[in-house]
Amino acid sequence: HGPMTFSGIVSFSTYAGNLKGFPIDARALLVEYQGLQRQREFYSPQYGTEAEQNSRLPDLRTLLYWAPTLQTDAATGKQNVQFFTSDQKGKYQVVVQGMTPDGKVGYTTQTFVVK
């Protein structure tokens, strides 16, 4: 922009989101992107006490378990996880995605039913 030079990617934005008053060079490559995303966290109940287990408040979560940093056992490549299901009856899909330290990826899905 003007006499400034940038090597790499530069992100410009305005409050109105339209860059009004900033003419864009016709040779510029414009790409929409979401930007930096923080690690998400989702609520997962524990039901550690009898009062929590007997609670009459329904659990209507659709996302039951989220573990973005889960690591498998180095020897077996497996890991056990435990979570509570929702009170919402229906068929649920388990999606497991992973990556090895050297960049190999894996993916599988399974389903289970809450009655």
Side-chain angles (χ1 to χ4, degrees):
H1 187 72
M4 294 180 273
T5 302
F6 305 97
S7 59
I9 298 172
V10 178
S11 176
F12 294 103
S13 62
T14 61
Y15 289 112
N18 59 7
L19 292 175
K20 185 175 180 180
F22 294 96
I24 305 297
D25 189 311
R27 298 169 292 169
L29 173 62
L30 302 178
V31 179
E32 293 287 330
Y33 68 98
Q34 292 182 347
L36 180 65
Q37 295 181 355
R38 295 186 175 167
Q39 180 174 313
R40 296 180 69 179
E41 293 184 26
F42 297 92
Y43 170 73
S44 185
Q46 296 303 313
Y47 302 119
T49 67
E50 188 173 336
E52 291 171 332
Q53 293 171 8
N54 295 325
S55 172
R56 300 199 39 94
L57 291 174
D59 179 353
L60 302 177
R61 293 171 298 130
T62 55
L63 178 70
L64 302 181
Y65 185 74
W66 178 267
T69 59
L70 184 72
Q71 293 188 359
T72 58
D73 180 73
T76 65
K78 296 181 180 182
Q79 178 62 271
N80 289 323
V81 295
Q82 293 182 357
F83 58 90
F84 290 95
T85 63
S86 172
D87 292 329
Q88 186 75 24
K89 296 176 182 176
K91 188 175 184 179
Y92 286 81
Q93 181 177 34
V94 176
V95 178
V96 178
Q97 299 174 329
M99 182 182 297
T100 64
D102 60 346
K104 295 178 185 170
V105 295
Y107 174 89
T108 189
T109 61
Q110 294 289 322
T111 59
F112 67 91
V113 176
V114 173
K115 295 181 180 182

